[in-house]
Amino acid sequence: MKIKLLSILILMFVAMSGFVGIVLADDQSPKAIPGLKMGNESGKARSAADEIAMVRQFMSRGAYISAADMLEDMYSKDPSNREVVDLLLTCYDILKAYPKAELLLNRQLEKNPFDYQYHDRLLEIYLRLGVDSVITTCLSNILIRFPGNPDVYRSIIAKLVLFGYNDRAAEMIAEGRRTFGNVALFAMENASILEIKGEYYRAVREYFTAVQNDSLLKPQVDRKLSLLVRYPDAPDEVIRALREITDSLPGNLFAHTVLQEAYMTGRRYSEAFDVSLKVDSLMAGDGRQLLVYQRRCYERRLYDQVIRVAEYIERRDFNRDIISDYKFYYADALAQSGRPAEALTQYSEIVKKYPQRRDQARALIEMGRVYRYQIRDYDLARVYFDSVAAMHHGGTFYAEAMEEMALMAMVEGQLDSAEAAFDRIGTLRNQEELTEKIDYHRAMILLFRKKYEEADLAFRKLMTIFPRGFYFNDALANSLNIRESQLGYPKALDKYTEALYYEVRLMPDSVEERFREVIGMGETPLVGQSSYRLAGYYLEMQDTISALEVINEMERNYPEDYYFPYCLKMRGDILAQGEATKDRAAEIYRTLLGKYNTYPFIGEARETLQKIKLLQPPS
């Protein structure tokens, strides 16, 4: 009875306070708001702080109608309470009650004609409503109230751009420049508007005007231009503007570095190299900027440019100690370009001339890799790896050399030797970065031996220890293959496993045969992966016709398989290489973006589609 009586008293108190209608308006109730103080123990009226707390509780729960009703009552009692006004305007904004907000703001401006915040909020309301005549009047009122204030202009311009009034914003910029007698004023804002309009040449000129007036804007302008040069149709205009700027300002380092990036993005590498020479001369002239350019080319696999930079450095009298890495980039670019003998010559020079033992060891390992991967002379490769292991027993280079020895043993089918080598690396406590790789290869050895339960356990353990690791996806796929196929499709699993083993052993005929056998078994959990891998195998062999035939077969028979989108992307990548088939490739990428946008390759597909659009001539 006491509890029921207390509830009745609370409801009577709320009714007497005039808030029953407010609460019912949004289907909220005071008891649904824990901790709300409905009044003090003496029965006196709530304080303003308690009422504001109640309003904020309503707003936090989305009960804006109730909050607005309550605030309107509070405003009628105290129109000068700034917090009440601000909260009420927020409610009106969310409820889109713009006429009420307009009325409230005009009342406040009658009392506070120089309160810029209220002018700004009123302008925002008119921009939302889109009434041009009222917007013009509002802008005029603001400028009359706040004459000679460039920050006011800047705020108005930002607001106009935010709501899409770009032409009006451009007019404000022109008016501000006339008013303050400064043709460079609001350059960043003007550049952004020109960029939106597609006037890329003028946008670049304005961005550089901004930088000349405020060097602190360089990072922001650099980001803007880095994005701008990637827009379709933009690079040529950007480069034209940058060339004019560098011609007129030959000593401007910032302009030259941006131009270099624009050339690289536009795949105009010869010109990018010429600019890199200029950038280096504007700096210390010691070749370090050339090394930066070479490294960027190396990261993008532009091996011809890497070689060009190295050959230029070789002809110049630079201090090689501070740019010594150029030689490693040079040698690897030669190897990747199918010039292993020249690569070995460069690595040999490093071993003879570079005084640091770590550089020598690094070069010897790379020489072993050239013999191992390019020349396929495992005996000579083993000599180099052995020498490094002897020189640096227990260190990073030792681990790298032993890893290569273990992988060669797998190629030769010597799984016991490979396992022993991985075990020796595993004893190195300071080689944690290799732990995931070692554990993955150990699991693969179990798989190749067809010890499926042990392999599955090893893959799952790997995923648990390295949930964001490099081998996580491969481990997950192998684990799922084992669990989905071991009982129902053991023959398919055996053949698929043998195909993977023959891949490692570099036995292409056997790889093709085993994948064909799995595909010939019909619909199994492994048919999609086998088709995708077989198509990829043909593609590596430069046999695009056979790769496309496998993909077509996959499309006819298993279009719902998880791996079909991967095959579809492979088809797009093949077609994107030919000028006559780029349109078909673009259509495939659009299909991927529309139907398979959760697949991990979607970012690459989007980027390739953008490149196709960029390279196609305008229709």
Side-chain angles (χ1 to χ4, degrees), residues 602-613:
I602 206 67
E604 184 183 343
R606 183 179 293 108
E607 183 179 352
T608 308
L609 178 60
Q610 289 172 345
K611 288 180 180 176
I612 290 174
K613 290 180 178 178

Side-chain angles (χ1 to χ4, degrees), residues 98-368:
Y98 300 131
K100 283 191 172 186
E102 179 187 8
L103 179 61
L104 177 59
L105 285 167
N106 280 321
R107 286 179 178 175
Q108 292 302 308
L109 287 171
E110 287 176 3
K111 302 173 187 176
N112 306 287
F114 295 99
D115 190 316
Y116 182 77
Q117 182 182 349
Y118 288 146
H119 283 286
D120 184 68
R121 297 191 77 156
L122 186 60
L123 173 62
E124 184 170 325
I125 288 172
Y126 292 147
L127 290 170
R128 288 183 186 277
L129 295 173
V131 183
D132 290 346
S133 59
V134 183
I135 292 171
T136 301
T137 301
C138 185
L139 291 174
S140 178
N141 289 337
I142 293 174
L143 295 179
I144 290 171
R145 293 287 190 280
F146 305 95
N149 190 330
D151 290 333
V152 170
Y153 273 84
R154 184 168 283 107
S155 174
I156 292 172
I157 291 164
K159 190 77 72 176
L160 290 169
V161 171
L162 178 65
F163 286 93
Y165 287 83
N166 297 315
D167 290 337
R168 184 66 67 87
E171 292 172 5
M172 284 291 298
I173 290 171
E175 181 181 338
R177 287 176 170 179
R178 287 192 300 269
T179 300
F180 300 106
N182 185 348
V183 295
L185 201 60
F186 314 125
M188 283 295 293
E189 291 82 358
N190 197 36
S192 297
I193 293 169
L194 292 168
E195 187 177 326
I196 292 169
K197 292 180 175 181
E199 297 183 37
Y200 303 126
Y201 170 83
R202 292 181 60 201
V204 173
R205 301 291 307 207
E206 282 292 292
Y207 279 131
F208 270 89
T209 298
V211 169
Q212 286 180 289
N213 283 272
D214 185 354
S215 61
L216 295 177
L217 292 173
K218 281 183 180 179
Q220 185 179 351
V221 169
D222 190 31
R223 288 193 299 272
K224 290 273 191 181
L225 293 176
S226 294
L227 293 172
L228 182 57
V229 295
R230 288 166 172 79
Y231 291 177
D233 305 324
D236 289 342
E237 289 296 289
V238 173
I239 288 172
R240 181 165 71 91
L242 289 171
R243 289 186 63 175
E244 289 184 8
I245 292 168
T246 53
D247 287 344
S248 61
L249 301 169
N252 190 305
L253 177 63
F254 179 67
H256 280 88
T257 55
V258 176
L259 178 58
Q260 181 190 53
E261 175 64 27
Y263 278 137
M264 291 192 72
T265 304
R267 300 185 179 186
R268 295 166 63 169
Y269 303 119
S270 179
E271 292 154 300
F273 175 71
D274 292 338
V275 176
S276 72
L277 296 177
K278 178 67 175 179
V279 170
D280 190 69
S281 69
L282 291 173
M283 298 289 283
D286 55 9
R288 277 185 285 190
Q289 294 306 310
L290 295 178
L291 178 62
V292 170
Y293 174 69
Q294 186 193 40
R295 180 173 61 247
R296 293 175 66 191
C297 291
Y298 180 82
E299 291 167 352
R300 300 183 187 194
R301 300 182 181 182
L302 304 171
Y303 298 126
D304 58 333
Q305 289 299 305
V306 174
I307 293 169
R308 181 181 182 185
V309 174
E311 290 174 344
Y312 178 84
I313 291 174
E314 297 267 275
R315 295 193 300 268
R316 296 295 302 274
D317 187 25
F318 289 122
N319 181 351
R320 307 293 171 79
D321 292 340
I322 62 176
I323 56 172
S324 59
D325 276 354
Y326 90 91
K327 196 81 163 177
F328 285 100
Y329 293 132
Y330 183 24
D332 191 56
L334 289 168
Q336 298 299 329
S337 301
R339 298 159 65 178
E342 295 172 74
L344 290 170
T345 298
Q346 296 303 319
Y347 284 129
S348 296
E349 287 189 15
I350 293 173
V351 174
K352 293 174 184 177
K353 298 179 181 179
Y354 280 40
Q356 298 292 335
R357 281 170 57 84
R358 64 175 180 272
D359 289 333
Q360 296 169 10
R362 179 180 168 191
L364 288 170
I365 283 182
E366 294 303 333
M367 291 177 76

Side-chain angles (χ1 to χ4, degrees), residues 586-604:
E587 190 58 38
I588 289 172
Y589 293 130
R590 292 189 191 97
T591 299
L592 293 172
L593 292 173
K595 293 181 63 176
Y596 306 106
N597 55 17
T598 59
Y599 275 69
F601 57 67
I602 206 67
E604 184 183 343

Side-chain angles (χ1 to χ4, degrees), residues 449-517:
R449 288 172 170 162
K450 299 182 181 177
K451 295 182 178 181
Y452 294 127
E453 291 84 359
E454 295 176 50
D456 182 32
L457 182 62
F459 286 127
R460 283 190 280 169
K461 181 180 178 182
L462 181 74
M463 290 187 286
T464 301
I465 298 174
F466 303 100
R468 297 184 179 181
F470 181 80
Y471 292 95
F472 181 89
N473 289 335
D474 289 333
L476 175 62
N478 288 327
S479 177
L480 290 174
N481 289 339
I482 292 171
R483 280 180 276 169
E484 291 177 351
S485 304
Q486 185 179 5
L487 296 178
Y489 307 92
K491 290 184 179 179
L493 180 58
D494 285 345
K495 296 298 181 184
Y496 181 81
T497 300
E498 290 169 10
L500 297 185
Y501 187 31
Y502 288 132
E503 272 188 325
V504 169
R505 295 199 61 189
L506 306 177
M507 301 171 67
D509 292 342
S510 298
V511 171
E512 180 184 10
E513 179 184 344
R514 293 302 187 275
F515 279 140
R516 285 288 184 189
E517 289 183 58

